[in-house]
Amino acid sequence: MTVARLAIFSDVHANLEALEAVFRDLDHQHVDRVLHLGDVVGYNASPCEVIDLLMERNVHGVQGNHDVAALDLDLAEGFNMLAYHAILYTRQQLDAHHVEYLSGLPFSLLLEGQFLLFHGSLESVNTYIANMYQAKRAFNFMRRQLPFVRIAFFGHTHVPKVWSRNSQGKIRALPLTKEPIILRSDEMYLINPGSVGQPRQKDSRAHYLIVDIDAMTVQFRSVEYNITLAQAKILRAKLPEFLATRLAEGI
Ligand code: ZN
């Protein structure tokens, strides 16, 4: 099957209500394939339901730092108390087939021979691409390691972003519009769809991205979801209260 339109999302973080809202929106978007950029679990209350829905929808992706920490608690060493608490909860919830799904996620994925997917950076799941300096480092790393890749998708920061690098090596953050953004054939891109389950740009909606391969565009989409229900589940699971309140604020 030739893939013409992709949906890419990241950092679902066990937020079932947000993921369901994304799929409801996706049902009208005529995409051929759906992929995620890791951090399927952590922070929120529904890790099992989220993995089951991803499996049912045949969504493949890459591993995030919370996914690997759910498999091996030693990897949660650098986590703050909120994240650590949620990982302990996650580990209690997961059944064997959930563990198998998380274990099967690769560090990175190359798609259609031209799109690279990873969680933090190409160096590790824990590394952020959150500023110009880090974007420059990531572009340089890509140019050395995978010179044939021009476009990469990443997550981890929970903030939508498009970094571009022109042929002179100048790096800039593109303005994010509602309309599709055209990707030029002579530039490199690092693109973050933002987060489905815990957005941090003070916009509490669930965020994801549609890639049109023929038109070479990316389009950011944001959907409302039932935050109150997600919050109730967090409190019922006895997770830290701040994990519930932050969802409404988008922080
Ligand atoms: Zn995350």
Side-chain angles (χ1 to χ4, degrees):
M1 186 181 74
T2 55
V3 177
R5 275 166 71 82
L6 297 171
I8 299 181
F9 56 70
S10 190
D11 295 275
V12 177
H13 281 299
N15 187 332
L16 178 67
E17 290 67 34
L19 183 62
E20 285 174 337
V22 166
F23 279 126
R24 276 195 296 277
D25 191 60
L26 265 178
D27 287 340
H28 306 285
Q29 297 299 321
H30 310 287
V31 298
D32 306 300
R33 201 167 168 198
V34 184
L35 291 136
H36 71 75
L37 300 168
D39 277 2
V40 166
V41 300
Y43 289 130
N44 299 302
S46 309
C48 302
E49 295 85 345
V50 159
I51 293 173
D52 287 337
L53 184 52
L54 292 176
M55 292 176 77
E56 182 191 313
R57 292 275 190 152
N58 207 14
V59 181
H60 191 38
V62 295
Q63 60 183 207
N65 53 319
H66 289 253
D67 304 322
V68 295
L71 298 171
D72 178 357
L73 198 54
D74 287 348
L75 300 175
E77 239 172 38
F79 279 23
N80 64 41
M81 281 311 293
L82 295 168
Y84 193 80
H85 194 128
I87 282 300
L88 293 180
Y89 164 81
T90 303
R91 287 168 61 87
Q92 288 165 1
Q93 304 296 311
L94 299 180
D95 290 329
H97 73 278
H98 303 123
V99 169
E100 197 181 320
Y101 178 86
L102 293 179
S103 311
L105 299 174
F107 172 76
S108 66
L109 262 181
L110 183 65
L111 211 73
E112 305 284 303
Q114 57 176 334
F115 302 114
L116 190 67
L117 278 63
F118 50 80
H119 182 67
S121 81
L122 256 182
E123 294 174 73
S124 96
V125 285
N126 290 304
T127 313
Y128 288 92
I129 303 174
N131 57 42
M132 185 86 68
Y133 171 77
Q134 290 163 342
K136 187 184 176 107
R137 183 181 167 92
F139 277 126
N140 286 341
F141 199 84
M142 251 167 77
R143 277 157 49 84
R144 273 199 311 275
Q145 303 286 321
L146 298 158
F148 57 93
V149 175
R150 207 168 53 75
I151 301 168
F153 297 91
F154 70 102
H156 196 41
T157 66
H158 298 206
V159 177
K161 202 82 182 177
V162 178
W163 294 103
S164 74
R165 180 192 186 280
N166 72 11
S167 48
Q168 281 84 49
K170 190 173 160 38
I171 292 161
R172 64 191 186 111
L174 301 190
L176 302 187
T177 56
K178 268 192 166 176
E179 289 70 44
I181 297 168
I182 298 166
L183 304 181
R184 296 167 50 110
S185 60
D186 57 348
E187 299 199 347
M188 290 177 74
Y189 295 94
L190 286 164
I191 303 168
N192 188 325
S195 169
V196 171
Q198 193 193 77
R200 293 181 189 163
Q201 74 274 33
K202 296 203 170 76
D203 177 342
S204 62
R205 294 175 296 173
H207 304 274
Y208 78 99
L209 191 72
I210 289 181
V211 185
D212 188 313
I213 297 177
D214 296 331
M216 262 305 168
T217 59
V218 290
Q219 184 176 17
F220 288 89
R221 291 190 65 80
S222 308
V223 293
E224 307 264 356
Y225 73 94
N226 191 339
I227 293 177
T228 313
L229 183 54
Q231 290 176 318
K233 289 183 181 175
I234 289 167
L235 299 178
R236 206 184 310 147
K238 303 229 173 353
L239 286 161
E241 195 179 338
F242 179 65
L243 292 176
T245 54
R246 73 187 300 173
L247 291 182
E249 294 172 45
I251 56 170

